[in-house]
Structures are given as structure tokens and as C-alpha cells.
């Protein structure tokens, strides 16, 4: 079975440019999570969707970050304009969440983003 | 706010030695999950513990959930070089159990 698919795997771009990260969750999963990972702050949840609806975006650092999930099989995380401090590994994860239980989160391979 | 803390941050062992990482939550958890991330890789789910005092084993890995459901541990017996990586614990957010609160992880290095 295909896992969570992220693209691109690596992105190097100059400060001020727009960056778009893409994610295809596992088919049948109803929740999608965007994380950022850095050495200093570890894994930070940026936003998560349930049934394609953004539920909690309290982790989005600022207005330069936005995320969409137009359908159950696709999500994007956009940074505009990008800044050097946005450099990190961005992970997408998906899960099937029932009302009263946690299920494991399945992570993609991540996008390693470097803003020069 | 709710926090999950892990110690130690780093551990360096000789192959064959045992290893333990500890996870402590500021709040009672309904369950706790453990993940492993290999260098350059992504977190991979290992196990979930739900019951107070629960102990689960996966080959050389032993996971425990404390009686008060506020702490957990992962013990690896006779480490191997394949155990290298960062081990994370994560528990559901008290106000929204669909979100996980993650520890910062314990990075394990194993000398052959």
C-alpha cells in the first residue's frame, strides 16, 4: 500500500520566494497533519485537517503560512514570502481518527526546505 | 501549557548495552504513543499504550505506561546498530485528543 507521499523531497530557494509543499495522505484516512521539525524546537504541529476541514491552525507561525485541503487526497502548505528562519523539515502525516480514540500517525518522507 | 518531556536528550552506548528513555507528561494521558525516527528519516509508529501499568514487548523493546498514566518508558535490551535513531513519545492533547503533544525525543547512538 502506498504511504503518505510528499513533494518535493528537497527545496532550496531564495528568501522572499513562494514555497508550496504538497502531500497525498493514505487513502481512507480522515485526518491530515502538517508538522515542522527543527533541532531547536523538535516536532511542531502547524495545522491539522479532519475530513478536509481545518480544525486547528494554532501552530501556524504567522500569516505567511497557509494550508489547504481541497479534497481527501491532497493538501498543500504554502509559505509566502519565505524567510531563512523557515528552513526546516516539513512533514505531512495522516491518520484515521475516530471520535474517542487515537490512531497512529503515518508520516511522509518530509520536505527538506532551505531558504537562502 | 501541557508538556511532554523526555530524558535523556542523547545517549551513546556500546553495542550490546541496554538503553532506556523516559517520558513524563505534565497531565494525565489517556494513552501514549512511541515513534522511532532514523537519521534522515521520518517518525515511524512503534506502539500505543492505553492501560494504567501496561507493559508491552516487541522483541528487544519493552514499553511501560505508569500507574498514574503520566509517565512511560522504553527499554531496549542488548542494543544493536539498527537501533540508532531518535525515539519520541507523544500523548493526546488534554483539550483536543486528536492532537498529539510530542516530546523532544531521545537520540540514541550505538558504537559497534
Amino acid at each position: 500500500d502506498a504511504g503518505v507521499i510528499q513533494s518535493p523531497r528537497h527545496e532550496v530557494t531564495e528568501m522572499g520566494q513562494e514555497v508550496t509543499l504538497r502531500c497525498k495522505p493514505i487513502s481512507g484516512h480522515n485526518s491530515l497533519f502538517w508538522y515542522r521539525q527543527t533541532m531547536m524546537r523538535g516536532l511542531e504541529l502547524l495545522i491539522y485537517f479532519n475530513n478536509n476541514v481545518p480544525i486547528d491552525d494554532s501552530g501556524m507561525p504567522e500569516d505567511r503560512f497557509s494550508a489547504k485541503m481541497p479534497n481527501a487526497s491532497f493538501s498543500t502548505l504554502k509559505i509566502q514570502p519565505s524567510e531563512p528562519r523557515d528552513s526546516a523539515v516539513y512533514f505531512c502525516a495522516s491518520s484515521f481518527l475516530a471520535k474517542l480514540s487515537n490512531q497512529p500517525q503515518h508520516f511522509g518522507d518530509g520536505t527538506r526546505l532551505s531558504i537562502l | 501549557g501541557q508538556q511532554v518531556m523526555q530524558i535523556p536528550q542523547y545517549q551513546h552506548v556500546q553495542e550490546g548495552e541496554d538503553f532506556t528513555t523516559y517520558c513524563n507528561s505534565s497531565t494525565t494521558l489517556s494513552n501514549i504513543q512511541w515513534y522511532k525516527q532514523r537519521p534522515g528519516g521520518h517518525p515511524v509508529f512503534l506502539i500505543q499504550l492505553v492501560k494504567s501499568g501496561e507493559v508491552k514487548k516487541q522483541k528487544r523493546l519493552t514499553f511501560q505506561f505508569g500507574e498514574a498514566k503520566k509517565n512511560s518508558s522504553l527499554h531496549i535490551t542488548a542494543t544493536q546498530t539498527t537501533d540508532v535513531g531518535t525515539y519520541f513519545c507523544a500523548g493526546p492533547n488534554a483539550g483536543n485528543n486528536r492532537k498529539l503533544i510530542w516530546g523532544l525525543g531521545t537520540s540514541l547512538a550505538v558504537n559497534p
Side-chain angles (χ1 to χ4, degrees):
Chain A
D1 287 341
V4 175
I5 299 172
Q6 288 187 248
S7 64
R9 290 292 307 276
H10 304 271
E11 174 92 12
V12 180
T13 192
E14 291 188 345
M15 179 175 126
Q17 297 297 308
E18 177 179 293
V19 173
T20 300
L21 311 181
R22 297 172 177 80
C23 177
K24 177 179 168 55
I26 291 174
S27 176
H29 282 184
N30 62 0
S31 293
L32 183 141
F33 305 81
W34 281 102
Y35 288 92
R36 177 171 67 178
Q37 186 175 42
T38 60
M39 289 294 293
M40 291 297 294
R41 299 170 69 94
L43 262 173
E44 301 175 274
L45 178 66
L46 301 177
I47 185 171
Y48 85 90
F49 296 83
N50 187 241
N51 294 321
N52 312 339
V53 176
I55 303 299
D56 188 332
D57 65 355
S58 59
M60 296 285 259
E62 47 198 277
D63 291 346
R64 297 184 297 106
F65 285 69
S66 63
K68 293 182 180 180
M69 191 165 186
N71 57 62
S73 58
F74 184 65
S75 177
T76 59
L77 177 68
K78 189 172 291 188
I79 309 173
Q80 166 63 18
S82 57
E83 296 182 5
R85 61 192 166 121
D86 302 330
S87 298
V89 180
Y90 290 81
F91 288 107
C92 174
S94 73
S95 178
F96 182 80
L97 293 181
K99 197 171 183 180
L100 296 176
S101 68
N102 285 104
Q103 295 299 314
Q105 295 187 9
H106 299 261
F107 285 74
D109 287 336
T111 295
R112 280 150 181 79
L113 177 63
S114 295
I115 309 296
L116 306 178
Chain B
Q2 183 181 358
Q3 289 186 328
V4 171
M5 293 148 286
Q6 280 186 258
I7 54 169
Q9 190 175 359
Y10 302 100
Q11 184 86 57
H12 207 140
V13 301
Q14 285 295 126
E15 191 170 21
E17 292 182 340
D18 291 357
F19 159 76
T20 304
T21 173
Y22 299 91
C23 180
N24 294 289
S25 170
S26 58
T27 62
T28 302
L29 299 171
S30 57
N31 63 78
I32 194 157
Q33 298 180 8
W34 284 91
Y35 292 76
K36 175 184 178 181
Q37 183 176 19
R38 293 182 186 274
H42 58 271
V44 175
F45 174 77
L46 293 176
I47 207 161
Q48 179 172 276
L49 305 172
V50 179
K51 298 178 185 176
S52 169
E54 187 170 15
V55 178
K56 285 188 176 179
K57 291 192 175 185
Q58 290 179 350
K59 297 183 180 178
R60 296 177 294 103
L61 277 60
T62 302
F63 303 84
Q64 288 189 306
F65 201 8
E67 294 289 340
K69 301 182 80 172
K70 292 184 73 175
N71 56 71
S72 181
S73 65
L74 157 59
H75 179 82
I76 303 178
T77 303
T79 54
Q80 299 175 358
T81 54
T82 53
D83 296 324
V84 165
T86 301
Y87 293 84
F88 293 96
C89 62
N93 178 277
N96 176 352
N97 70 352
R98 293 167 183 236
K99 289 171 57 171
L100 289 177
I101 307 297
W102 293 77
L104 290 179
T106 295
S107 293
L108 172 64
V110 179
N111 272 353

